[in-house]
Amino acid sequence: MSDLRLRVLRRYKELLYMGRDYPQGYVFFRDRLHRAFKSKAGLTDHAQIERQLAFTDYIEREIEALYQLRKYRTIKRNYYADER
């Protein structure tokens, strides 16, 4: 397998792993991720594939931000519930 293909598969697996705690459920996340990767399966130009890999980096950061926001809101609700 080419190096580029291995990078795409690794990114797919990383995003699947990150999707375990997705707010709308793992099945929802897995189906959407599979659909997104399958829609780009026909790409052959290395520059386009690199661009899509960069986009997955952006998606990963967005998922991390979502999880951090959820954690912050939970902590805020637990510790500052009496101040309302």
Side-chain angles (χ1 to χ4, degrees):
M1 283 206 255
S2 71
D3 180 50
L4 202 52
R5 179 172 166 77
L6 291 175
R7 285 177 50 204
V8 170
L9 288 174
R10 186 177 330 121
R11 175 59 63 180
Y12 180 76
K13 289 179 182 181
E14 288 172 0
L15 288 173
L16 270 179
Y17 183 76
M18 288 183 70
R20 292 175 307 153
D21 298 325
Y22 199 72
Q24 294 174 330
Y26 176 72
V27 174
F28 174 82
F29 183 84
R30 183 190 61 208
D31 292 343
R32 297 272 312 253
L33 183 67
H34 180 74
R35 226 177 320 146
F37 270 78
K38 193 168 182 115
S39 71
K40 304 295 181 183
L43 292 179
T44 56
D45 183 31
H46 290 289
Q48 289 178 341
I49 295 171
E50 289 290 340
R51 202 171 316 123
Q52 292 301 317
L53 283 172
F55 184 69
T56 60
D57 291 336
Y58 167 76
I59 296 299
E60 181 179 356
R61 289 191 306 270
E62 288 294 316
I63 292 170
E64 287 175 0
L66 177 71
Y67 291 160
Q68 290 173 356
L69 180 63
R70 186 175 68 179
K71 182 179 176 182
Y72 168 76
R73 286 180 177 164
T74 301
I75 290 171
K76 185 176 178 183
R77 183 178 41 233
N78 288 340
Y79 288 101
Y80 299 109
D82 299 332
E83 292 182 9
R84 291 184 187 181

